[in-house]
Amino acid sequence: MPFPLELKYIEIAEDQFGLKFPEKYKSKMQQENSGEFRVTFSETTNDDEIEPWWLFPFQNSSEIKRIKRTMNHLVHENQSIQDMSDFPANSVAIAFNDCGDYLLLCSVDEIHLEEKIYLWRHEYSESVYLLANSINVFIPIES
C-alpha cells in the first residue's frame, strides 16, 4: 500500500548511492512511496501484452509499520541487482516485474540521474531501451 514519504528519506538514499534522483521521480515517491503500474509494449491493448511493474520504495524508518513495508527498499535491492555481471553501469533499478526485468534511471553525469526511464531485460542484458521521458508517463503526479 503506497504512503507519503518525507524528502529526508530520499536524501538518505541519494547519499548512499552518491547520486541525485530526478525531481519528477522524487515528487512521485514523496506522494506514494512505491506503487504498481502497467506498461504495454505494443499498439494493441491485448491483456497478454500488458506487464505489471512495481516501484521499489525508499526505506522509511519513521515507524515500525513503515519499516516493515519498506524492507525491500531501493538501496537494499540495488545492492544485489548491481552485482549482476551484465547490469548496466551508472544506473539505478527503480522498478521490477515478475520476470526479472528492471526499469532504470541512468546517470547523465557523475552526480545526477536523468528523468528518462529505461528498460533492461535480463534475457537481452547487453541492451538498455529508452521507455519513457519520465515517471509521469506511467504514474501521473498530482499537483
Side-chain angles (χ1 to χ4, degrees):
M1 168 181 261
F3 49 87
L5 179 72
E6 292 179 59
L7 180 60
K8 70 180 182 180
Y9 295 111
I10 296 172
E11 292 169 343
I12 289 169
E14 288 178 329
D15 290 344
Q16 292 172 322
F17 281 116
L19 295 166
K20 299 289 182 189
F21 289 97
E23 292 304 316
K24 290 177 185 174
Y25 175 71
K26 289 196 290 191
S27 177
K28 186 276 173 252
M29 296 304 280
Q30 282 183 271
Q31 289 178 15
E32 299 179 340
N33 186 25
S34 73
E36 179 182 348
F37 57 97
R38 302 195 181 278
V39 177
T40 182
F41 294 98
S42 74
E43 299 289 323
T44 64
T45 55
N46 181 343
D47 284 345
D48 293 339
E49 297 170 353
I50 299 174
E51 294 182 18
W53 290 82
W54 296 270
L55 287 165
F56 292 117
F58 284 94
Q59 184 176 28
N60 183 334
S61 59
S62 63
E63 58 186 55
I64 296 295
K65 181 177 174 181
R66 293 196 179 183
I67 290 171
K68 289 178 182 179
R69 288 187 179 174
T70 61
M71 296 276 298
N72 67 328
H73 61 85
L74 188 75
V75 174
H76 173 76
E77 294 297 325
N78 271 272
Q79 288 170 343
S80 59
I81 293 167
Q82 292 181 357
D83 285 342
M84 295 177 181
S85 61
D86 295 334
F87 190 79
N90 304 317
S91 61
V92 174
I94 62 165
F96 64 99
N97 65 9
D98 58 1
C99 298
D101 305 322
Y102 297 98
L103 298 184
L104 313 174
L105 294 174
C106 297
S107 62
V108 292
D109 57 35
E110 293 180 8
I111 299 172
H112 298 94
L113 294 165
E114 66 180 324
E115 291 281 356
K116 294 177 180 174
I117 308 291
Y118 293 88
L119 170 65
W120 182 74
R121 297 262 192 214
H122 73 280
E123 300 101 2
Y124 310 105
S125 58
E126 29 327 299
S127 300
V128 175
Y129 307 95
L130 177 63
L131 190 59
N133 287 323
S134 82
I135 194 75
N136 294 10
V137 171
F138 308 118
I139 305 169
I141 297 174
E142 298 172 15
S143 310

